[in-house]
């Protein structure tokens, strides 16, 4: 049984890792235009090609580790990527709910609109003009692959699953069902941690951009 589970997890891990690598590659035009790759090049005195390779390898490794740990911990806490597993192994797939698909699409659209309005009306006016690069819309659109693949693997599959697994150790040892509140706690904590991580990353990126624009000829 363990061998069968390992084989199935192996294929899923490979698929998710390749998707993460794809997301890293298609994000390159955005990173180049916004100047993030230039910062890497100037800081470590490397070529553009090396900077791209390092960035892709880094994202790919994040995805590999996150998906491997997440899938390993998922089953004990009642999580399962049933639909994706069914597609990969050509088993009977779980039917999708059109209702929840529409709710997800609508929620994503509303959330994206709110974020866009906040960025333009609230945050950008307080930024140094040089730090608000004019990026092509199609390049910004490429970020959806990173957000929809890599960030979801790291936030949902890895971090959320890890929190539930840790918080439910005592229940699983006693063969007791995991209370629903643990899942809610995991959702809230993982979201807050992810938000803090993005906030710190944003601050670091803004500082690097400021230094680059001020001191690099």
């Amino acid at each position: 049984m363990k061998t069968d589970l390992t084989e199935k997890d192996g294929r899923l891990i490979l698929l998710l890792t390749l998707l993460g690598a794809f997301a890293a590659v298609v994000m390159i035009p955005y990173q180049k235009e916004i100047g993030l790759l230039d910062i890497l090049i100037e800081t470590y005195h490397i070529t553009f090609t090396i900077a791209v390779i390092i960035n892709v390898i880094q994202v790919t490794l994040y995805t590999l580790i996150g998906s491997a740990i997440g899938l390993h911990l998922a089953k004990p806490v009642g999580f399962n990527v049933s639909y994706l597993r069914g597609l990969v192994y050509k088993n009977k797939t779980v039917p999708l709910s059109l209702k929840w698909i529409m709710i997800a699409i609508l929620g994503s659209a509303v959330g994206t609109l709110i974020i866009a309005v906040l960025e333009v009306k609230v945050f950008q006016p307080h930024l140094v003009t040089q730090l608000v690069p004019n990026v092509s819309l199609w390049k910004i659109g490429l970020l959806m692959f990173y957000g929809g693949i890599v960030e979801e693997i790291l936030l949902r599959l890895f971090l959320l699953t890890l929190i539930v697994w840790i918080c439910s150790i005592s229940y699983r040892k006693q063969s007791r069902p995991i209370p629903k509140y643990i899942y809610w706690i995991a959702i809230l904590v993982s979201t807050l941690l992810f938000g803090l991580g993005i906030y710190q990353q944003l601050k670091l990126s803004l500082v690097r951009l400021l230094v680059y624009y001020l001191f690099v000829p």
Side-chain angles (χ1 to χ4, degrees), residues 13-175:
I13 292 169
L14 177 60
L15 173 62
L16 295 176
T17 302
L18 291 176
L19 289 174
F22 167 76
V25 170
V26 299
M27 188 172 57
I28 293 172
Y30 172 83
Q31 291 178 313
K32 181 180 179 181
E33 184 161 339
I34 203 174
L36 292 178
L37 290 177
D38 293 330
I39 296 171
L40 190 62
I41 292 169
E42 293 292 335
T43 302
Y44 298 102
H45 305 289
I46 56 180
T47 64
F48 173 79
T49 302
I50 297 298
V52 168
I53 292 174
I54 291 174
N55 184 70
V56 172
I57 291 176
Q58 176 179 276
V59 174
T60 303
L61 287 177
Y62 286 162
T63 310
L64 171 63
I65 295 171
S67 58
I69 297 176
L71 287 170
H72 180 71
L73 301 179
K75 189 175 181 180
V77 299
F79 290 152
N80 190 16
V81 285
S82 303
Y83 189 81
L84 185 59
R85 192 181 295 276
L87 291 177
V88 171
Y89 298 100
K90 299 180 181 179
N91 298 330
K92 183 179 179 181
T93 57
V94 177
L96 294 176
S97 170
L98 181 60
K99 171 188 174 182
W100 286 107
I101 290 177
M102 296 306 298
I103 290 176
I105 293 175
L106 181 61
S108 299
V110 172
T112 302
L113 179 61
I114 292 174
I115 292 173
V117 172
L118 287 174
E119 180 180 355
V120 174
K121 300 296 184 181
V122 178
F123 299 117
Q124 284 192 6
H126 298 285
L127 294 175
V128 179
T129 304
Q130 289 179 311
L131 297 182
V132 187
N134 183 22
V135 184
S136 302
L137 185 60
W138 70 270
K139 294 181 180 180
I140 296 176
L142 294 175
L143 292 178
M144 68 179 179
F145 294 103
Y146 183 85
I149 297 173
V150 179
E151 290 183 356
E152 287 300 312
I153 290 173
L154 296 180
L155 172 61
R156 311 292 180 189
L157 182 57
F158 169 67
L159 185 56
L160 190 152
T161 305
L162 177 63
I163 294 172
V164 174
W165 187 87
I166 293 174
C167 294
S168 65
I169 290 177
S170 61
Y171 291 95
R172 288 184 286 107
K173 283 184 177 180
Q174 302 173 34
S175 298

Side-chain angles (χ1 to χ4, degrees), residues 1-17:
M1 178 64 182
K2 288 185 177 180
T3 302
D4 180 61
L5 180 61
T6 302
E7 289 176 354
K8 291 189 175 183
D9 282 350
R11 292 187 189 181
L12 287 173
I13 292 169
L14 177 60
L15 173 62
L16 295 176
T17 302

